[in-house]
């Protein structure tokens, strides 16, 4: 398997522009996660899906952020409008898990990340 | 709210040295604890996963221990090599705010000097 695929790998945009990040999870994985990593705050969970349904979006910083998973092989994270403080590395991860991933002991597989810079 | 702390933030050692990375967490009601490795510009790779009922896990030169009651874990790296240079993140899986979540520490950046 090719692993988790993210695109683009790098994105530079100007404040106010819409940014769309894309993720293709590992085939057969039921869970998909979006994380954001910054030096100040470390790695933070933004939202995760189970079988394409959003389960917990409490980490989404504000209404400017939205995520969708229209099918089992594709997810997007959108920022509109973008702001300089959104600059970070955004990771997508996927995992198997029949019921509860933590209790099932399944690890998450991370993509290479999208490095976003908002000027 | 679960918080994960890793000390030290950075560590530099000569090749061949044995070393220990530390992780502490505030809520002991966890399902499992994982250690990840992150190389510059890349994603995270899971190294070891310890279930809450386990005390330790080993993989090659790596050994991770878990003391759930005290909220601590250590990652022991034997005979360190320059290729071990990376950032090591500790993460705990627990039920937080109505759902299961993986909460990460900020990592320890390890440099192994040849």
């Amino acid at each position: 398997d090719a692993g988790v695929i993210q695109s683009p790998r790098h994105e530079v945009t100007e404040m106010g522009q819409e940014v769309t990040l894309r993720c293709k999870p590992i085939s057969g994985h039921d869970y998909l996660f979006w994380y954001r990593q910054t030096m100040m705050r470390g790695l933070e969970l933004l939202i995760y899906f189970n079988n394409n349904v959003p389960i917990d979006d409490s980490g989404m910083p504000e209404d400017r952020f939205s995520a969708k998973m229209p099918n089992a092989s594709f997810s997007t994270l959108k920022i509109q409008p973008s702001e300089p403080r959104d600059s970070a590395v955004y990771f997508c991860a996927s995992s198997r898990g029949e019921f509860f991933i933590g209790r099932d002991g399944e690890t998450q597989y991370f993509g290479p990340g999208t490095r976003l810079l908002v000027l | 709210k679960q918080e994960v702390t890793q000390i030290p933030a950075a560590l530099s050692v000569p090749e061949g040295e044995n070393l220990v990375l530390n992780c502490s967490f505030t809520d002991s009601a966890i399902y499992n604890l994982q250690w990840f490795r992150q190389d510059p510009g890349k994603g995270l790779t899971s190294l070891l996963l310890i279930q809450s009922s386990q005390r330790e896990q080993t993989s090659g030169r790596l050994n991770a221990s878990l003391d759930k009651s005290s909220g601590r874990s250590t990652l022991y790296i034997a005979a360190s090599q320059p290729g071990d240079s990376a950032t090591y993140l500790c993460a705990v899986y627990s039920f937080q705010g109505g759902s299961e979540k993986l909460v990460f520490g900020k990592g320890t950046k390890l440099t192994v000097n040849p």
Side-chain angles (χ1 to χ4, degrees):
Chain A
D1 200 311
V4 176
I5 298 172
Q6 290 187 248
S7 64
R9 292 294 311 276
H10 302 274
E11 177 82 25
V12 180
T13 190
E14 292 188 346
M15 183 174 66
Q17 297 297 306
E18 177 179 295
V19 175
T20 300
L21 312 181
R22 297 173 176 79
C23 175
K24 176 178 168 54
I26 294 173
S27 177
H29 282 191
D30 306 298
Y31 289 84
L32 183 139
F33 307 82
W34 283 102
Y35 291 90
R36 177 173 68 176
Q37 186 176 40
T38 61
M39 289 291 291
M40 280 293 271
R41 300 174 67 91
L43 200 62
E44 303 173 284
L45 176 66
L46 299 177
I47 184 171
Y48 78 88
F49 296 83
N50 180 24
N51 292 322
N52 313 339
V53 176
I55 300 301
D56 187 337
D57 64 355
S58 60
M60 297 285 262
E62 48 198 274
D63 291 346
R64 297 184 297 106
F65 286 69
S66 62
K68 294 183 180 179
M69 191 164 186
N71 57 63
S73 59
F74 183 67
S75 176
T76 60
L77 178 67
K78 188 173 293 187
I79 308 172
Q80 166 65 18
S82 57
E83 296 182 3
R85 60 191 167 123
D86 301 330
S87 297
V89 182
Y90 291 81
F91 288 102
C92 176
S94 70
S95 175
R96 293 178 297 188
E98 184 174 356
F99 298 108
F100 298 103
I101 18 178
R103 285 173 247 184
D104 290 344
E106 296 285 350
T107 191
Q108 296 178 20
Y109 295 84
F110 281 74
T114 295
R115 189 172 296 272
L116 173 65
L117 178 59
V118 183
L119 302 173
Chain B
K1 178 184 174 186
Q2 180 74 268
E3 293 183 3
V4 180
T5 303
Q6 292 186 247
I7 296 173
L11 181 64
S12 183
V13 301
E15 182 177 2
E17 190 162 299
N18 302 326
L19 60 101
V20 174
L21 306 181
N22 296 295
C23 171
S24 62
F25 47 96
T26 54
D27 185 348
S28 62
I30 65 170
Y31 299 129
N32 64 56
L33 181 144
Q34 300 182 50
W35 283 92
F36 290 84
R37 169 181 172 141
Q38 185 174 25
D39 292 285
K42 297 192 176 179
L44 281 69
T45 302
S46 180
L47 297 173
L48 291 164
L49 185 154
I50 311 176
Q51 292 284 50
S52 61
S53 57
Q54 298 174 324
R55 296 283 293 182
E56 65 178 338
Q57 282 285 335
T58 298
S59 175
R61 293 181 295 107
L62 305 180
N63 176 277
S65 68
L66 173 63
D67 185 342
K68 203 172 73 161
S69 61
S70 68
R72 295 179 188 276
S73 175
T74 60
L75 179 66
Y76 174 82
I77 302 177
S80 58
Q81 304 172 356
D84 295 330
S85 298
T87 297
Y88 291 81
L89 292 98
C90 166
V92 296
Y93 231 122
S94 59
F95 200 83
Q96 299 282 319
S99 70
E100 295 193 343
K101 291 176 184 173
L102 198 57
V103 178
F104 285 83
K106 291 187 178 179
T108 294
K109 184 176 181 180
L110 173 66
T111 303
V112 181
N113 302 300

